[in-house]
Amino acid sequence: MAGEPVNVNEFQELARQSLPKMYYDYYTGGAEDQHTLKENVKSFRRIIIQPRVLVDVSKIDMSTTILGHKTSAPIMIAPTAMHKLAHHEGEVATARGAAACDVIMGLSYMSTCTVEEVASSCNAVRFFQIYVYKRRDITALMVHRAEKNGFGAIILTADTPRLGRREADIKNKMIAPQLKNFEGLISTEYVSDKGSNIEALAAGTFDASLCWKDIEWLKSITKLPILIKGVLTSEDAIKAIEVGVAGIIVSNHGARQLDYAPATISVLEEVVHAVQGKVPVFFDGGVRRGTDIFKALALGAKAVLIGRAVIYGLAAKGELGVKQVIQMLKDEFELTMALSGCCSVDDITRSHVKTEKGRFICRM
């Protein structure tokens, strides 16, 4: 690709050129037919922005507050696994990029840098994402380490009792490296004769018995607020409120778990309506443009999480790439706000977008 990237999508090509095929496929791939993977992005294109004109937009304020933390924009870095496969500095580079852009970083349970390394690298606000292992003492220890090292919240991923079938990883015989967070606790180097070692790792460690009553156990071992990630229905949103979570992340795991699950933007509003403002709702899945951020906020999200786009920036240019990707999205979002007649994130309302369903009703 000639010249510097001018949008986030162009970072994907730079990442493809930088990474071994096995790792590029790992980051980009989805489950099975990858229908949901495609729909996560395509569904945004079916939402139309309805701008307001003749509004004084000489000053735009993108800042917001997330669980009490002031941040420069309604953008968080999604917790994604094994950043050292993308760049030798791994999650430390990602955290520094987040700090420079004044956005919150989600650190993955499956990170290749330790909790302590990331915490000491910079002053970014950090949330810690967890899976619950069969050995719950290990999960409890990880939660305590995050709390001790100044993390601001726990993100419980709830959609992974088993790993989705990621066929590119199976073909490539994807290798699961030893993860430093678990050294001396449990081996994360699994070998499978059926393909993906990542799948073997998940099967050997993840607790498939995890259910709603276990939220009480998690609350008993930490004082940190708990966000539940992986909610796609109003029914589960209501259950999440009942068990006392501090927030909900609408997510289909980047379309890496259940193929033909709905695109997240298509169910965001359903979840928001079910929650009725009792806790903040965050959005994860398919964000590639500032207009996508605007659309998610108009449909009720408090903020969006950015996953693959950050990985592409990290793979292409390390910490600088992370900063460039976040800044591109912030710049696009600010422009969208101005052109839509919104001076602050609170000005973005449901009336600023029209969904496919809304257009259908209007034609009736």
mmCIF file of all heavy atoms in Angstrom, residues 67 225-228 231 236-249 271-282 300-302:
data_model
loop_
_atom_site.group_PDB
_atom_site.id
_atom_site.type_symbol
_atom_site.label_atom_id
_atom_site.label_comp_id
_atom_site.label_asym_id
_atom_site.label_seq_id
_atom_site.Cartn_x
_atom_site.Cartn_y
_atom_site.Cartn_z
ATOM 1 N N LEU A 67 -17.739 4.624 34.398
ATOM 2 C CA LEU A 67 -17.619 4.076 35.757
ATOM 3 C C LEU A 67 -16.805 5.004 36.648
ATOM 4 O O LEU A 67 -15.935 4.571 37.419
ATOM 5 C CB LEU A 67 -16.987 2.673 35.721
ATOM 6 C CG LEU A 67 -17.764 1.584 34.987
ATOM 7 C CD1 LEU A 67 -17.074 0.238 35.169
ATOM 8 C CD2 LEU A 67 -19.205 1.498 35.468
ATOM 9 N N PRO A 225 -15.990 -2.861 40.433
ATOM 10 C CA PRO A 225 -17.229 -3.048 39.667
ATOM 11 C C PRO A 225 -17.038 -4.121 38.601
ATOM 12 O O PRO A 225 -15.939 -4.287 38.049
ATOM 13 C CB PRO A 225 -17.464 -1.673 39.035
ATOM 14 C CG PRO A 225 -16.142 -0.991 39.062
ATOM 15 C CD PRO A 225 -15.412 -1.524 40.249
ATOM 16 N N ILE A 226 -18.109 -4.848 38.312
ATOM 17 C CA ILE A 226 -18.055 -5.962 37.355
ATOM 18 C C ILE A 226 -18.904 -5.626 36.140
ATOM 19 O O ILE A 226 -20.092 -5.301 36.267
ATOM 20 C CB ILE A 226 -18.536 -7.265 38.013
ATOM 21 C CG1 ILE A 226 -17.593 -7.662 39.156
ATOM 22 C CG2 ILE A 226 -18.643 -8.386 36.977
ATOM 23 C CD1 ILE A 226 -18.141 -8.751 40.051
ATOM 24 N N LEU A 227 -18.276 -5.711 34.973
ATOM 25 C CA LEU A 227 -18.995 -5.600 33.701
ATOM 26 C C LEU A 227 -19.141 -6.998 33.129
ATOM 27 O O LEU A 227 -18.198 -7.804 33.183
ATOM 28 C CB LEU A 227 -18.223 -4.732 32.714
ATOM 29 C CG LEU A 227 -17.856 -3.307 33.149
ATOM 30 C CD1 LEU A 227 -17.013 -2.633 32.076
ATOM 31 C CD2 LEU A 227 -19.097 -2.500 33.425
ATOM 32 N N ILE A 228 -20.296 -7.310 32.556
ATOM 33 C CA ILE A 228 -20.488 -8.610 31.924
ATOM 34 C C ILE A 228 -20.477 -8.423 30.409
ATOM 35 O O ILE A 228 -21.201 -7.589 29.866
ATOM 36 C CB ILE A 228 -21.773 -9.307 32.419
ATOM 37 C CG1 ILE A 228 -21.851 -10.728 31.864
ATOM 38 C CG2 ILE A 228 -23.021 -8.518 32.088
ATOM 39 C CD1 ILE A 228 -22.858 -11.598 32.577
ATOM 40 N N VAL A 231 -23.427 -10.133 26.222
ATOM 41 C CA VAL A 231 -24.895 -10.095 26.266
ATOM 42 C C VAL A 231 -25.425 -9.671 24.896
ATOM 43 O O VAL A 231 -24.969 -8.694 24.315
ATOM 44 C CB VAL A 231 -25.371 -9.120 27.352
ATOM 45 C CG1 VAL A 231 -26.879 -8.909 27.272
ATOM 46 C CG2 VAL A 231 -24.974 -9.627 28.733
ATOM 47 N N ASP A 236 -31.099 -11.777 28.811
ATOM 48 C CA ASP A 236 -29.837 -11.827 29.550
ATOM 49 C C ASP A 236 -29.495 -10.471 30.160
ATOM 50 O O ASP A 236 -28.869 -10.410 31.223
ATOM 51 C CB ASP A 236 -28.708 -12.308 28.636
ATOM 52 C CG ASP A 236 -28.698 -13.818 28.479
ATOM 53 O OD1 ASP A 236 -29.410 -14.511 29.234
ATOM 54 O OD2 ASP A 236 -27.982 -14.329 27.584
ATOM 55 N N ALA A 237 -29.891 -9.402 29.506
ATOM 56 C CA ALA A 237 -29.662 -8.074 30.078
ATOM 57 C C ALA A 237 -30.407 -7.923 31.401
ATOM 58 O O ALA A 237 -29.864 -7.402 32.385
ATOM 59 C CB ALA A 237 -30.106 -7.005 29.087
ATOM 60 N N ILE A 238 -31.648 -8.402 31.441
ATOM 61 C CA ILE A 238 -32.442 -8.329 32.671
ATOM 62 C C ILE A 238 -31.810 -9.184 33.768
ATOM 63 O O ILE A 238 -31.711 -8.767 34.931
ATOM 64 C CB ILE A 238 -33.894 -8.762 32.393
ATOM 65 C CG1 ILE A 238 -34.578 -7.714 31.505
ATOM 66 C CG2 ILE A 238 -34.670 -8.967 33.699
ATOM 67 C CD1 ILE A 238 -35.900 -8.163 30.924
ATOM 68 N N LYS A 239 -31.323 -10.376 33.405
ATOM 69 C CA LYS A 239 -30.650 -11.233 34.392
ATOM 70 C C LYS A 239 -29.389 -10.559 34.935
ATOM 71 O O LYS A 239 -29.078 -10.654 36.131
ATOM 72 C CB LYS A 239 -30.299 -12.584 33.767
ATOM 73 C CG LYS A 239 -31.489 -13.510 33.574
ATOM 74 C CD LYS A 239 -31.039 -14.850 33.012
ATOM 75 C CE LYS A 239 -32.224 -15.805 32.851
ATOM 76 N NZ LYS A 239 -31.804 -17.108 32.274
ATOM 77 N N ALA A 240 -28.662 -9.891 34.048
ATOM 78 C CA ALA A 240 -27.444 -9.201 34.478
ATOM 79 C C ALA A 240 -27.763 -8.122 35.505
ATOM 80 O O ALA A 240 -27.030 -7.953 36.492
ATOM 81 C CB ALA A 240 -26.739 -8.601 33.264
ATOM 82 N N ILE A 241 -28.849 -7.392 35.284
ATOM 83 C CA ILE A 241 -29.272 -6.381 36.251
ATOM 84 C C ILE A 241 -29.640 -7.041 37.578
ATOM 85 O O ILE A 241 -29.275 -6.558 38.654
ATOM 86 C CB ILE A 241 -30.479 -5.585 35.704
ATOM 87 C CG1 ILE A 241 -30.108 -4.824 34.431
ATOM 88 C CG2 ILE A 241 -31.002 -4.622 36.767
ATOM 89 C CD1 ILE A 241 -29.046 -3.790 34.602
ATOM 90 N N GLU A 242 -30.343 -8.157 37.504
ATOM 91 C CA GLU A 242 -30.802 -8.848 38.717
ATOM 92 C C GLU A 242 -29.643 -9.333 39.573
ATOM 93 O O GLU A 242 -29.744 -9.347 40.805
ATOM 94 C CB GLU A 242 -31.701 -10.022 38.331
ATOM 95 C CG GLU A 242 -33.057 -9.588 37.771
ATOM 96 C CD GLU A 242 -33.870 -10.754 37.215
ATOM 97 O OE1 GLU A 242 -33.317 -11.875 37.072
ATOM 98 O OE2 GLU A 242 -35.064 -10.546 36.904
ATOM 99 N N VAL A 243 -28.537 -9.754 38.950
ATOM 100 C CA VAL A 243 -27.392 -10.252 39.736
ATOM 101 C C VAL A 243 -26.449 -9.134 40.158
ATOM 102 O O VAL A 243 -25.467 -9.373 40.849
ATOM 103 C CB VAL A 243 -26.622 -11.356 38.989
ATOM 104 C CG1 VAL A 243 -27.516 -12.558 38.715
ATOM 105 C CG2 VAL A 243 -25.995 -10.828 37.696
ATOM 106 N N GLY A 244 -26.734 -7.907 39.742
ATOM 107 C CA GLY A 244 -26.026 -6.763 40.293
ATOM 108 C C GLY A 244 -24.733 -6.364 39.612
ATOM 109 O O GLY A 244 -23.818 -5.871 40.274
ATOM 110 N N VAL A 245 -24.629 -6.552 38.299
ATOM 111 C CA VAL A 245 -23.422 -6.086 37.605
ATOM 112 C C VAL A 245 -23.454 -4.566 37.477
ATOM 113 O O VAL A 245 -24.512 -3.938 37.564
ATOM 114 C CB VAL A 245 -23.266 -6.734 36.213
ATOM 115 C CG1 VAL A 245 -23.187 -8.243 36.327
ATOM 116 C CG2 VAL A 245 -24.384 -6.306 35.264
ATOM 117 N N ALA A 246 -22.284 -3.984 37.252
ATOM 118 C CA ALA A 246 -22.176 -2.528 37.162
ATOM 119 C C ALA A 246 -22.343 -2.017 35.738
ATOM 120 O O ALA A 246 -22.473 -0.804 35.527
ATOM 121 C CB ALA A 246 -20.827 -2.077 37.709
ATOM 122 N N GLY A 247 -22.331 -2.928 34.776
ATOM 123 C CA GLY A 247 -22.489 -2.531 33.390
ATOM 124 C C GLY A 247 -22.539 -3.741 32.487
ATOM 125 O O GLY A 247 -22.171 -4.861 32.886
ATOM 126 N N ILE A 248 -23.005 -3.523 31.259
ATOM 127 C CA ILE A 248 -23.186 -4.602 30.286
ATOM 128 C C ILE A 248 -22.456 -4.233 29.006
ATOM 129 O O ILE A 248 -22.543 -3.094 28.542
ATOM 130 C CB ILE A 248 -24.684 -4.812 29.991
ATOM 131 C CG1 ILE A 248 -25.385 -5.413 31.213
ATOM 132 C CG2 ILE A 248 -24.902 -5.685 28.756
ATOM 133 C CD1 ILE A 248 -26.900 -5.432 31.106
ATOM 134 N N ILE A 249 -21.735 -5.201 28.452
ATOM 135 C CA ILE A 249 -21.091 -5.012 27.153
ATOM 136 C C ILE A 249 -21.799 -5.894 26.136
ATOM 137 O O ILE A 249 -21.767 -7.125 26.233
ATOM 138 C CB ILE A 249 -19.592 -5.355 27.207
ATOM 139 C CG1 ILE A 249 -18.879 -4.480 28.253
ATOM 140 C CG2 ILE A 249 -18.953 -5.153 25.826
ATOM 141 C CD1 ILE A 249 -17.418 -4.838 28.468
ATOM 142 N N VAL A 271 -31.136 -4.359 24.012
ATOM 143 C CA VAL A 271 -30.503 -4.458 25.330
ATOM 144 C C VAL A 271 -30.663 -3.148 26.095
ATOM 145 O O VAL A 271 -30.989 -3.145 27.292
ATOM 146 C CB VAL A 271 -29.016 -4.845 25.187
ATOM 147 C CG1 VAL A 271 -28.300 -4.763 26.538
ATOM 148 C CG2 VAL A 271 -28.883 -6.245 24.594
ATOM 149 N N VAL A 272 -30.451 -2.031 25.426
ATOM 150 C CA VAL A 272 -30.593 -0.722 26.072
ATOM 151 C C VAL A 272 -32.002 -0.544 26.637
ATOM 152 O O VAL A 272 -32.183 -0.093 27.775
ATOM 153 C CB VAL A 272 -30.255 0.408 25.072
ATOM 154 C CG1 VAL A 272 -30.678 1.770 25.626
ATOM 155 C CG2 VAL A 272 -28.772 0.399 24.741
ATOM 156 N N HIS A 273 -33.013 -0.931 25.860
ATOM 157 C CA HIS A 273 -34.389 -0.808 26.336
ATOM 158 C C HIS A 273 -34.643 -1.699 27.552
ATOM 159 O O HIS A 273 -35.343 -1.305 28.491
ATOM 160 C CB HIS A 273 -35.361 -1.172 25.217
ATOM 161 C CG HIS A 273 -35.459 -0.123 24.161
ATOM 162 N ND1 HIS A 273 -36.027 -0.346 22.920
ATOM 163 C CD2 HIS A 273 -35.050 1.167 24.120
ATOM 164 C CE1 HIS A 273 -35.968 0.748 22.196
ATOM 165 N NE2 HIS A 273 -35.375 1.677 22.897
ATOM 166 N N ALA A 274 -34.068 -2.890 27.548
ATOM 167 C CA ALA A 274 -34.266 -3.815 28.665
ATOM 168 C C ALA A 274 -33.627 -3.290 29.945
ATOM 169 O O ALA A 274 -34.161 -3.468 31.047
ATOM 170 C CB ALA A 274 -33.698 -5.191 28.315
ATOM 171 N N VAL A 275 -32.484 -2.639 29.802
ATOM 172 C CA VAL A 275 -31.737 -2.146 30.968
ATOM 173 C C VAL A 275 -32.413 -0.938 31.595
ATOM 174 O O VAL A 275 -32.315 -0.719 32.814
ATOM 175 C CB VAL A 275 -30.283 -1.816 30.537
ATOM 176 C CG1 VAL A 275 -29.552 -1.044 31.619
ATOM 177 C CG2 VAL A 275 -29.532 -3.105 30.205
ATOM 178 N N GLN A 276 -33.091 -0.131 30.808
ATOM 179 C CA GLN A 276 -33.852 1.039 31.293
ATOM 180 C C GLN A 276 -32.991 2.021 32.094
ATOM 181 O O GLN A 276 -33.438 2.591 33.094
ATOM 182 C CB GLN A 276 -35.042 0.577 32.138
ATOM 183 C CG GLN A 276 -36.069 -0.235 31.355
ATOM 184 C CD GLN A 276 -37.254 -0.652 32.198
ATOM 185 O OE1 GLN A 276 -37.154 -0.770 33.417
ATOM 186 N NE2 GLN A 276 -38.384 -0.886 31.556
ATOM 187 N N GLY A 277 -31.741 2.166 31.683
ATOM 188 C CA GLY A 277 -30.872 3.145 32.321
ATOM 189 C C GLY A 277 -30.325 2.763 33.677
ATOM 190 O O GLY A 277 -29.669 3.588 34.348
ATOM 191 N N LYS A 278 -30.548 1.534 34.124
ATOM 192 C CA LYS A 278 -30.104 1.132 35.461
ATOM 193 C C LYS A 278 -28.595 0.990 35.548
ATOM 194 O O LYS A 278 -28.005 1.211 36.610
ATOM 195 C CB LYS A 278 -30.801 -0.183 35.854
ATOM 196 C CG LYS A 278 -32.300 -0.031 36.034
ATOM 197 C CD LYS A 278 -32.982 -1.362 36.273
ATOM 198 C CE LYS A 278 -34.501 -1.185 36.376
ATOM 199 N NZ LYS A 278 -35.201 -2.493 36.481
ATOM 200 N N VAL A 279 -27.955 0.562 34.451
ATOM 201 C CA VAL A 279 -26.501 0.497 34.379
ATOM 202 C C VAL A 279 -26.089 0.940 32.973
ATOM 203 O O VAL A 279 -26.900 0.882 32.033
ATOM 204 C CB VAL A 279 -25.955 -0.930 34.647
ATOM 205 C CG1 VAL A 279 -26.307 -1.397 36.052
ATOM 206 C CG2 VAL A 279 -26.435 -1.920 33.599
ATOM 207 N N PRO A 280 -24.845 1.368 32.798
ATOM 208 C CA PRO A 280 -24.406 1.736 31.448
ATOM 209 C C PRO A 280 -24.284 0.507 30.547
ATOM 210 O O PRO A 280 -23.943 -0.586 31.008
ATOM 211 C CB PRO A 280 -23.040 2.387 31.681
ATOM 212 C CG PRO A 280 -22.572 1.857 32.997
ATOM 213 C CD PRO A 280 -23.806 1.628 33.811
ATOM 214 N N VAL A 281 -24.579 0.727 29.274
ATOM 215 C CA VAL A 281 -24.434 -0.317 28.260
ATOM 216 C C VAL A 281 -23.308 0.104 27.314
ATOM 217 O O VAL A 281 -23.307 1.220 26.791
ATOM 218 C CB VAL A 281 -25.738 -0.515 27.474
ATOM 219 C CG1 VAL A 281 -25.543 -1.530 26.342
ATOM 220 C CG2 VAL A 281 -26.853 -0.981 28.407
ATOM 221 N N PHE A 282 -22.357 -0.796 27.117
ATOM 222 C CA PHE A 282 -21.234 -0.548 26.223
ATOM 223 C C PHE A 282 -21.365 -1.431 24.994
ATOM 224 O O PHE A 282 -22.068 -2.450 25.018
ATOM 225 C CB PHE A 282 -19.914 -0.809 26.953
ATOM 226 C CG PHE A 282 -19.771 0.001 28.214
ATOM 227 C CD1 PHE A 282 -20.082 -0.557 29.449
ATOM 228 C CD2 PHE A 282 -19.365 1.322 28.177
ATOM 229 C CE1 PHE A 282 -19.974 0.180 30.621
ATOM 230 C CE2 PHE A 282 -19.254 2.074 29.342
ATOM 231 C CZ PHE A 282 -19.560 1.498 30.562
ATOM 232 N N GLY A 300 -27.870 4.196 22.098
ATOM 233 C CA GLY A 300 -27.906 4.024 23.547
ATOM 234 C C GLY A 300 -26.640 3.574 24.227
ATOM 235 O O GLY A 300 -26.608 3.443 25.456
ATOM 236 N N ALA A 301 -25.571 3.322 23.474
ATOM 237 C CA ALA A 301 -24.322 2.891 24.100
ATOM 238 C C ALA A 301 -23.658 4.053 24.830
ATOM 239 O O ALA A 301 -23.701 5.196 24.374
ATOM 240 C CB ALA A 301 -23.371 2.323 23.058
ATOM 241 N N LYS A 302 -23.030 3.754 25.949
ATOM 242 C CA LYS A 302 -22.260 4.752 26.687
ATOM 243 C C LYS A 302 -20.901 4.979 26.038
ATOM 244 O O LYS A 302 -20.380 6.096 26.022
ATOM 245 C CB LYS A 302 -22.070 4.282 28.140
ATOM 246 C CG LYS A 302 -21.244 5.204 29.005
ATOM 247 C CD LYS A 302 -21.966 6.506 29.291
ATOM 248 C CE LYS A 302 -21.190 7.367 30.274
ATOM 249 N NZ LYS A 302 -21.848 8.681 30.497
#
